[in-house]
Amino acid sequence: MTVTTFETKTYQNFINNEWTASSSDETIESINPATKEVVGLVQKSTEEDLNKAVQAAHEAKKAWRRIGQAARGQFLFKAANILEENLDHIAETMTREMGKTLPEAKGETARGIAILRYYAGEGMRKEGDVIPSSDKDALMFTKRTPLGVVGVITPWNFPVAIPIWKFAPALVYGNTIVWKPATEGAVTAAKVAECFVEAGLPEGVFNFITGSGSVIGQGLIDHPLLNAITFTGSENVGQNVAKSAAARGIKFQLEMGGKNPVIVTKDANIDQAVEAVISGGFRSSGQKCTASSRVIVEEAVYDEFKEKLVEAAEKITVGNGLQEGIWMGPCASESQFNTVTESIEKGQQEGATLIHGGEVLTGGEYDNGFFVTPAIFENVTTDMAIAQEEIFGPVVALIKAADLEEAIDMANDTKYGLSASIFTSNISSLLEFVDEIEVGLVRINAESAGVELQAPFGGMKASSSGSREQGEAAKEFFTAIKTVFIKGS
Ligand code: NAP
Ligand code: MG
C-alpha cells in the first residue's frame, strides 16, 4: 500500500455557508470496492435540507451576479490552488471510494485543477460582442447574463473532473449552484466541496448536498426555484430530468451513456489500435462514458488484431488500485459488479464467444472486493445485447466487418452517439468516417476515451441533450444573451 493513514469520517452538507447535518439524523456509508471497508459516511438528506439549499442559492444570486465576472474568476483561482495542495489526498480518497488506480485518480484530480484554472481565466474574457446596428447613431451589443440557480447532478465515475467542469463555468458566469453528487462518489465529492468552501465564496453561492438520487436528485430537478439543471449519468434518469425541465421551461443539459465503437481497418497500424483498445476498453475498469466497448475489425486483419489484443489483455494486472503495479482496479460497487457479471453471462447465452477474461477473481484479498478480469468476446453480431446495451465495465466485443462501409454502418447501429475511433492510414477512409459517423467525439488513430478541457465535449442521439460542455461551449449553456440597443437622447 502506498498510503497508510486514512480517517473514516462523517461528512456534512454545506448549505448557506455552513456545514450542517441532515434533519434526518441519518447517514449513508460509502464502501471501498477493493476491500468492502467503509471509506466515510455522508448525510442522507431530506427535502427539508434540499429546500434550504435551493433557497440559499436563490437568495445569493443577485449579489453573486453583481460582484462581476473578474472577481468571480479570482475565487476559482483560489479554489484551484487549494485543490492542488490536496491533490494526493483527494486522489487517494477517489481510489478508495470508487476503485480506479491511484495514477488515474491523480490524473483526474490534476485535470480538475486545470479545468478550474481555465474557467478562472474566463473571469477576464469577454462577456459579449458589439454588433453593427443599421442605425449609425446607435450602439448594439450582446451581454451574457447568468441563468440563476443551477442544479448540478453528477455520476461517480469521474467524481472530481465532471463536477468541476460543470460548476466552474456555472460559477464564473455568475450562477449559484446546488450540487448533488452520486452517492457512490460522495466522500470524494465532499473533499472537493471542502476546497471550494476554503476558497471563501460568498454565502449561499455554493451548496453541497448528499442523499439518494430519487429523493434529493428528483427533488432538485423538480424544485420551483431552480433556473437550470446540468446532469451527467444514465439515460433513464436523464430522460426524467429532461421531462421535468421541459415541463417548467427551464434550461437543461444532459450527458449520458455510450456504446462507443472502434473501427480497425485493413490498413491500420495494428499495434497502435491494440494499445488504444486496451486503454479505452479497460482503464477505469471500462467505467467511462467514452470507453471503447465495440471493436469492429475488417476481415483482412481480424485474426492478427484479435491475437495481439488477447496477448496484451493477458498482461493486465487486476487488484487494489492503491497498490503499485496494478493496472486495473475493481468494479466501482457491488451493483456495477453485478451488471458486469450478468452482461458477461448474457453475452454467452446469446451465442457470443468469450475468448479472454471475464472471470470473477477470488482468493486472498480478492474475496474482499468486486474484481473481474478484462473480458473480450468474439462472434458478436450487432443485434446482441452486448453490442447494444451500455455495460459500463471491462468488456470489449469484437465484431467482424467485410469492409469500411459495413464497419461504419455497424458503428452507427446503436441508439448512442458519444465517441468513436477509427484506426487507418488511408486518408479517404478517415474522411469518410468523419462525415458518416454519428457521434460527438470523433477520434482518428486515438482511443475513444480521452477529452481535452478546452474543446467541446458531448454526444449525439441518446447520449446527450445536444448541448456541449467544457471549453468555450460551456458559456452557451450557463448564460443567457441579452441583446442591448442604445441610442443617445
Ligand atoms: P445514474 O444512476 O444516472 O446517477 C447519476 C446521478 O443522478 C447520481 O448523482 C444519482 O444519485 C442521481 N440520480 C439517481 N436517480 C435520480 C433521479 N430519479 N432524479 C435525479 N437524480 C437522480 O448514473 P451513474 O450510475 O452514477 O453513472 C453512470 C452513467 O453515467 C453511465 O450511463 C455513464 O455512461 C454515464 N456517464 C456519462 C458521461 C458523459 O459525459 N456522457 C460521463 C460519465 C458517466 P445517486 O448516486 O444517489 O443514485
Ligand atoms: Mg463505493
Side-chain angles (χ1 to χ4, degrees):
M1 294 278 170
T2 323
V3 195
T4 48
T5 51
F6 191 87
E7 209 187 334
T8 303
K9 286 202 306 192
T10 299
Y11 297 85
Q12 295 187 316
N13 293 327
F14 189 75
I15 296 173
N16 206 17
N17 243 25
E18 257 182 90
W19 289 105
T20 43
S22 164
S23 62
S24 72
D25 256 342
E26 286 179 74
T27 52
I28 310 171
E29 288 181 343
S30 184
I31 303 295
N32 182 334
T35 62
K36 298 189 188 163
E37 285 165 336
V38 177
V39 179
L41 297 102
V42 296
Q43 301 301 311
K44 186 176 179 183
S45 305
T46 60
E47 297 232 12
E48 188 187 329
D49 306 322
L50 176 68
N51 280 334
K52 283 185 187 156
V54 181
Q55 188 68 39
H58 175 73
E59 280 164 22
K61 66 187 186 184
K62 197 174 195 177
W64 185 237
R65 173 169 57 76
R66 287 182 171 174
I67 200 174
Q69 192 158 306
R72 292 192 295 262
Q74 292 306 314
F75 285 105
L76 297 196
F77 276 124
K78 224 169 152 183
N81 292 344
I82 298 164
L83 200 61
E84 196 165 45
E85 285 160 22
N86 292 285
L87 187 152
D88 287 340
H89 179 65
I90 288 175
E92 188 199 329
T93 307
M94 192 192 307
T95 298
R96 286 180 188 273
E97 188 172 38
M98 59 72 65
K100 72 173 65 167
T101 64
L102 195 56
E104 281 184 81
K106 284 185 181 172
E108 183 187 334
T109 310
R111 173 61 67 95
I113 295 160
I115 296 168
L116 259 176
R117 294 201 168 119
Y118 175 92
Y119 286 107
E122 277 293 279
M124 292 301 190
R125 294 191 198 106
K126 64 178 190 169
E127 287 181 297
D129 294 300
V130 175
I131 297 150
S133 166
S134 49
D135 181 339
K136 70 175 176 41
D137 298 323
L139 172 63
M140 185 162 70
F141 61 93
T142 59
K143 184 170 167 45
R144 297 272 175 176
T145 191
L147 305 173
V149 180
V150 175
V152 178
I153 301 181
T154 53
W156 46 264
N157 65 331
F158 286 98
V160 172
I162 291 179
I164 291 178
W165 85 45
K166 291 178 181 299
F167 61 63
L171 291 170
V172 80
Y173 299 129
N175 305 283
T176 59
I177 64 142
V178 178
W179 173 27
K180 190 266 180 264
T183 302
E184 279 154 12
V187 170
T188 310
K191 290 187 186 285
V192 172
E194 283 174 355
C195 295
F196 275 78
V197 169
E198 211 183 311
L201 292 158
E203 194 167 305
V205 169
F206 179 95
N207 300 279
F208 170 77
I209 181 165
T210 58
S212 108
S214 53
V215 178
I216 301 308
Q218 188 70 44
L220 182 58
I221 61 182
D222 290 337
H223 203 288
L225 290 179
L226 203 68
N227 301 111
I229 177 93
T230 174
F231 168 86
T232 296
S234 61
E235 196 195 338
N236 281 349
V237 179
Q239 283 171 350
N240 210 19
V241 172
K243 273 184 212 143
S244 175
R248 285 177 302 126
I250 65 168
K251 221 170 167 181
F252 63 93
Q253 173 180 63
L254 317 171
E255 289 304 331
M256 299 166 289
K259 192 70 195 170
N260 311 297
V262 178
I263 295 178
V264 183
T265 64
K266 58 180 183 291
D267 46 39
N269 177 334
I270 299 295
D271 293 331
Q272 188 186 33
V274 165
E275 199 184 321
V277 169
I278 291 285
S279 179
F282 302 128
R283 264 192 207 283
S284 274
S285 306
Q287 301 166 129
K288 294 183 183 178
C289 51
T290 51
S292 312
S293 66
R294 298 178 294 146
V295 186
I296 302 161
V297 189
E298 268 193 79
E299 232 157 18
V301 291
Y302 183 87
D303 289 336
E304 182 192 353
F305 176 81
K306 176 179 105 176
E307 237 164 74
K308 288 184 165 172
L309 185 72
V310 169
E311 204 180 295
E314 274 161 5
K315 297 195 184 113
I316 292 177
T317 47
V318 182
N320 186 331
L322 284 182
Q323 282 165 0
E324 266 177 50
I326 294 298
W327 192 89
M328 191 178 105
C331 298
S333 63
E334 184 165 14
S335 75
Q336 278 305 120
F337 171 84
N338 290 339
T339 312
V340 169
T341 50
E342 280 159 23
S343 301
I344 290 170
E345 253 169 57
K346 198 166 171 185
Q348 289 171 299
Q349 282 161 9
E350 283 179 309
T353 317
L354 184 64
I355 53 169
H356 175 78
E359 304 123 351
V360 173
L361 289 169
T362 53
E365 285 186 22
Y366 288 134
D367 286 339
N368 297 325
F370 304 112
F371 297 100
V372 182
T373 57
I376 302 172
F377 274 99
E378 73 168 341
N379 297 325
V380 177
T381 52
T382 53
D383 56 325
M384 291 180 184
I386 56 165
Q388 291 294 336
E389 288 164 18
E390 184 184 47
I391 299 171
F392 224 54
V395 183
V396 162
L398 300 186
I399 303 170
K400 212 182 266 184
D403 54 25
L404 180 67
E405 198 185 338
E406 191 187 35
I408 294 177
D409 285 345
M410 285 170 159
N412 284 334
D413 183 9
T414 162
K415 63 180 170 175
Y416 294 114
L418 187 52
S419 72
S421 313
I422 190 169
F423 286 83
T424 182
S425 52
N426 181 318
I427 196 155
S428 306
S429 302
L430 80 82
L431 288 173
E432 187 179 338
F433 180 76
V434 171
D435 272 350
E436 298 300 324
I437 196 73
E438 298 163 355
V439 297
L441 303 163
V442 183
R443 315 262 304 161
I444 315 295
N445 296 323
E447 69 173 86
S448 64
V451 300
E452 295 200 37
L453 64 99
Q454 70 278 24
F457 173 79
M460 288 167 63
K461 304 198 300 199
S463 292
S464 170
S465 57
S467 58
R468 290 290 179 265
E469 305 195 275
Q470 304 202 67
E472 285 181 28
K475 193 190 267 185
E476 297 306 322
F477 180 72
F478 289 109
T479 62
I481 294 175
K482 285 181 176 169
T483 303
V484 185
F485 178 89
I486 307 177
K487 188 148 180 179
S489 77

